[in-house]
Amino acid sequence: MNKSPQTAVANPVFPIMIAIAVCHLFNDTLQAVIPAMLPILEKEFQFSYKQLGFIVFALNIVASLLQPVVGYLSDRKPKPFALPIGMTFSMIGIAGLALAPSYWLIILSVMLLGLGSAIFHPEGSRVSFLAAGDKRGLSQSIYQVGGNTGQALAPLISAFVLVPLGQIGAAVFVLVAAAGIALLSRISIWYKKQLDEERLGKRKKALLTTMENLTKRQVVIALTLLMIIIFARSFYVTNITSFYIFYLIENYGMTIQHGQLYIFLFLALGAVGTFFGGPMADRMGRKKVIVLSLVVPLPLSLLLPYAPVWGIILLLLTIGFFIMLSFSVTVIYAQELVPSKIGTMAGLTVGLAFGMGAIGAVAIGSLIDYIGIYQTMIITSFLPFIGLVGLALPRDQKITSAS
């Protein structure tokens, strides 16, 4: 049974919040190269949609399966210098992707990227938690918006780097990884200092939970509902980011560059929604923001497959903002359901998002090969309805802070 909410007394450390968010941007920019490269690989290697789906699957499934493991190990014994080590794996992966001459070497390269991401996310979330003080929602939003901004760059990477340069253009992002390693090395020093101070009892504790009097059974049910929400959101977002470009090309006659700008708008507003979601949750409660994020996109997702060109932009902007409003909030909500397992819950929620994205990429790619892209877009437009299970989540309390 959870104890009543604890009062936050630690002060936020904004430079670290921003620094880890920038590293999250670097990490997810490297991952964004993969969906950005799909149209290029489809042209250069003549891969099927299913094969393209398995490339995304290889990236996300490694990150998905390993993140909870890394989070669990981090809860037992945090490892600050794992952060730059993880980014080193990503740098090797992105270099391999630029040079890979075959399908299986491409798969191996993206798996290395997935390994780097799996190491980064739980430890990065812990750094965000340590830097948050009584601004849990804001800190998690700053952290997650860095990642979502990196993901949002995928269409621009495709349009302005990979289309002109081809596969070798991915080598440009070795520089991004190198910058990430340098900054994470500095953050790791601060991280280690905080852990040393905690062991010596010198560091003030942050708010652990806004949940009150939940039984173990209620916690398990709430986590299950949260996983269902993440499944629906991840499948839908993967559909838009990986395959909607092909729908725009086939049904609206767009070029790759033109279509990728539409995907960029969806992801850019998703990053904006991620940023606002955390502070909103601090003020009005976690559950309310999660429910708002689920309800608004429902009718809009149904309209999207039938929209005229001018309507697509408006729908993508609105859906992107609201569906990602709860991205950082679901992480916080899970951490507050099980406040003794901060790293594990971060690894579980973000890892599940990667895992569902992985499965979704293969499932949707296979469905497109089987029934066509138009029918697939109609079927996937119903995915947000699954998220309505969020209405049954336990209500959390508002945060109160004290000096």
Side-chain angles (χ1 to χ4, degrees):
M1 184 179 294
N2 286 345
K3 297 179 181 179
S4 59
Q6 300 182 27
T7 303
V9 293
N11 293 320
V13 186
F14 288 102
I16 295 297
M17 284 189 201
I18 295 169
I20 195 65
V22 170
C23 291
H24 200 181
L25 185 151
F26 290 160
N27 181 83
D28 284 24
T29 296
L30 298 177
Q31 293 179 82
V33 173
I34 307 308
M37 192 174 276
L38 295 184
I40 311 303
L41 296 176
E42 191 265 342
K43 274 194 170 184
E44 290 190 8
F45 291 92
Q46 301 299 307
F47 292 150
S48 68
Y49 287 114
K50 185 175 181 179
Q51 286 177 304
L52 296 177
F54 267 111
I55 291 172
V56 179
F57 176 86
L59 170 71
N60 289 341
I61 201 65
V62 172
S64 172
L65 294 177
L66 291 183
Q67 276 192 57
V69 176
V70 174
Y72 174 76
L73 294 174
S74 175
D75 284 329
R76 292 174 63 89
K77 187 176 181 180
K79 297 174 177 59
F81 291 96
L83 285 165
I85 292 171
M87 188 66 74
T88 301
F89 281 114
S90 294
M91 183 168 69
I92 296 169
I94 202 72
L97 182 65
L99 302 172
S102 67
Y103 183 71
W104 291 110
L105 285 176
I106 290 172
I107 293 290
L108 177 61
S109 298
V110 299
M111 288 177 72
L112 285 171
L113 276 165
L115 175 60
S117 180
I119 295 171
F120 173 83
H121 279 100
E123 289 288 357
S125 185
R126 183 178 291 277
V127 169
S128 173
F129 177 85
L130 289 172
D134 60 353
K135 302 293 183 184
R136 289 288 316 286
L138 176 63
S139 183
Q140 189 65 219
S141 279
I142 291 173
Y143 172 67
Q144 295 295 353
V145 81
N148 286 358
T149 301
Q151 294 169 22
L153 293 175
L156 302 184
I157 291 169
S158 177
F160 300 112
V161 178
L162 299 178
V163 169
L165 298 178
Q167 182 185 0
I168 193 65
V172 171
F173 297 93
V174 171
L175 299 176
V176 174
I181 292 168
L183 186 52
L184 284 170
S185 297
R186 297 292 299 273
I187 292 172
S188 294
I189 295 171
W190 177 88
Y191 182 6
K192 184 177 185 301
K193 182 180 177 182
Q194 303 312 301
L195 295 175
D196 291 341
E197 289 181 357
E198 269 193 1
R199 279 193 292 269
L200 296 173
K202 294 180 180 180
R203 188 178 186 278
K204 295 177 179 179
K205 291 187 176 181
L207 172 77
L208 290 182
T209 181
T210 58
M211 305 292 178
E212 186 173 17
N213 297 327
L214 292 182
T215 65
K216 186 175 180 180
R217 180 174 179 273
Q218 287 173 317
V219 169
V220 171
I221 292 173
L223 282 174
T224 301
L225 295 175
L226 211 59
M227 299 304 105
I228 294 171
I229 292 167
I230 293 171
F231 155 76
R233 184 182 65 206
S234 298
F235 257 59
Y236 187 81
V237 171
T238 295
N239 178 58
I240 297 296
T241 57
S242 295
F243 298 108
Y244 191 64
I245 177 67
F246 298 106
Y247 182 76
L248 292 174
I249 292 169
E250 183 173 313
N251 287 271
Y252 296 91
M254 294 187 186
T255 62
I256 293 176
Q257 292 95 327
H258 189 192
Q260 291 288 21
L261 291 176
Y262 281 70
I263 309 303
F264 169 72
L265 291 174
F266 171 81
L267 290 169
L269 265 291
V272 174
T274 297
F275 177 77
F276 282 103
M280 286 174 62
D282 282 342
R283 293 190 176 193
M284 59 188 286
R286 320 299 191 206
K287 179 180 175 178
K288 289 180 181 178
V289 173
I290 291 172
V291 170
L292 181 67
S293 173
L294 301 171
V295 170
V296 175
L298 294 180
L300 306 180
S301 65
L302 293 177
L303 289 174
L304 185 61
Y306 310 101
V309 173
W310 62 266
I312 291 173
I313 295 178
L314 182 60
L315 289 172
L316 286 176
L317 290 174
T318 310
I319 294 171
F321 178 85
F322 279 99
I323 205 165
M324 297 304 290
L325 198 66
S326 65
F327 189 89
S328 63
V329 183
T330 51
V331 178
I332 301 167
Y333 192 94
Q335 288 175 331
E336 293 177 358
L337 282 170
V338 190
S340 63
K341 301 292 183 183
I342 297 300
T344 303
M345 289 301 103
L348 181 64
T349 51
V350 179
L352 182 70
F354 278 103
M356 291 300 100
I359 296 169
V362 174
I364 294 169
S366 299
L367 192 62
I368 293 171
D369 283 337
Y370 185 65
I371 65 173
I373 191 128
Y374 182 75
Q375 289 79 6
T376 300
M377 290 300 124
I378 293 174
I379 291 171
T380 53
S381 70
F382 287 87
L383 282 169
F385 278 87
I386 300 172
L388 287 178
V389 298
L391 293 169
L393 286 171
R395 189 173 302 170
D396 55 291
Q397 298 185 353
K398 290 184 178 180
I399 294 175
T400 57
S401 60
S403 59

